[in-house]
Amino acid sequence: MSVIQRDGAFYTGEYRNLFKEHGYSEEEIRTRLEQAWADLFYGNPDVRIYYPMGDDKGYILDTGNLDVRTEGMSYGMMMAVQMNKKEEFDRLWNFSKTYMQHKEGRYKDYFAWHCRPDGTRISQGPAPDGEEYYAMALLFASNRWGDGPEPYNYSEQARTILRACVHQGDNGEGDPMWDPETKLIKFVPEAPFSDPSYHLPHFYELFALQADERDRAFWKEAAEASRAYLHAACHPETGLSPEYANYDGTPAEPQRHGDFRHFFSDAYRVAANIGLDWEWFRKDPWQVEQSNRIQAFFRDIDVADYRRYTIDGKPFDEPALHPIGLLATNAMASLAADGPDASHFVRLLWNTPLRTGVRRYYDNCLYFFCLLALSGNYRIYR
Ligand SMILES: O[C@@H]1[C@@H](O)[C@H](O[C@@H]2CO[C@@H](O[C@@H]3CO[C@@H](O[C@@H]4CO[C@@H](O)[C@H](O)[C@H]4O)[C@H](O)[C@H]3O)[C@H](O)[C@H]2O)OC[C@H]1O
């Protein structure tokens, strides 16, 4: 595959349709994607995760926790822009802007990481994976649909978020979301450690094209720093990474709110992120070996038997909370994997339906990203 140069950035500009490569027809793939969108956004109560609110707002519900998270809101916006669904995108953004984004103080321009479906905040602190997804979805929206009047002036909104991520605290109050020294994303602005699943070098390459001029070099460096960081955070034999990790990649000490040294819900996303970075940029050949490694680890484990694992691969006597989500991220690794397990995961994902029931939100977000990615529809909009 060739790598093309546009606007000063190198990216492939080509999107494999792995389902088609495995024999599924274009029509059934398109139908599958559209049906999944319809189920998640307008389906029956046991499967949907999106709820319109009034004339101009809507939210994605974390059905397991009965709250609205910046993670889910920004994921919903990314799904909508990829699917060319402007109304749902605008509703999710309007809810986020109205109820979740701070207007002043130490978190100005950041978002309270979760609130109730009526918009009442539960916590004030932000979770940086939300901010980076908001910024990327907004830039794609600007490039796909053009900017409108505030708050639909997407590119300006994205730049405001990215400015805060890098410069919060420059003049006193608050903290940046990226550690200025290592250029690594933090777990929360106040934390001196990271979360490997927050590292999205493929987004930072694109921020380097559209963020404030003065920060473009920073985002290039952040992309390289994140790629290197993942080498350290992923176990060299299993490919598993911890939920939270120090800046040298070692698992972070247990926190007041729990022990995140192991491979559990947050960490699933690392495999998917690496797959997409390879698909979009093809810059780091280690990503191919890493994707083969994690697929080899899971190849012979039944999805129903997925557990929590130490990063060297010891299972706990505790089932995975989101087995379908984990299957989806393992399957998304097939974008980079060239080993004997890549086809197995593509087919297994195809033969697995969306999750229904209480815990469906996180699984189905990851599942939908996987459907987009493996069908060649998770794209850069420039
Ligand atoms: O005072 C601060 C707190 O503000 C700070 O809050 C953290 C904010 O980030 C939260 O992380 C989000 C939620 O968890 C992850 O995904 C979940 C994975 O498991 C699924 O079951 C669930 O449905 C998903 O939402 C997200 O990726 C994050 O955005 C974190 O949980 C809060 O603790 O914490 C430190 C305090 O000092």
Side-chain angles (χ1 to χ4, degrees), residues 269-284:
R269 298 173 290 201
V270 172
N273 298 337
I274 287 173
L276 196 58
D277 186 31
W278 179 253
E279 174 76 349
W280 284 5
F281 288 97
R282 271 183 177 47
K283 278 200 167 172
D284 180 1

Side-chain angles (χ1 to χ4, degrees), residues 75 133 196-197 199-203 230 241 263 266-280 287 290-291 294-295 325-336 362 365-367 369-370 373-374 378:
Y75 284 6
Y133 261 90
S197 75
H199 289 258
L200 306 174
H202 45 306
F203 285 11
L230 290 169
S241 51
F263 182 83
D266 271 35
Y268 301 168
R269 298 173 290 201
V270 172
N273 298 337
I274 287 173
L276 196 58
D277 186 31
W278 179 253
E279 174 76 349
W280 284 5
Q287 296 177 336
Q290 158 63 21
S291 301
I294 198 161
Q295 288 195 331
L326 177 51
L327 167 61
T329 57
N330 286 339
M332 219 164 131
S334 296
L335 289 172
Y362 189 63
C365 285
L366 301 181
Y367 183 104
F369 282 146
C370 184
L374 296 189
Y378 201 153

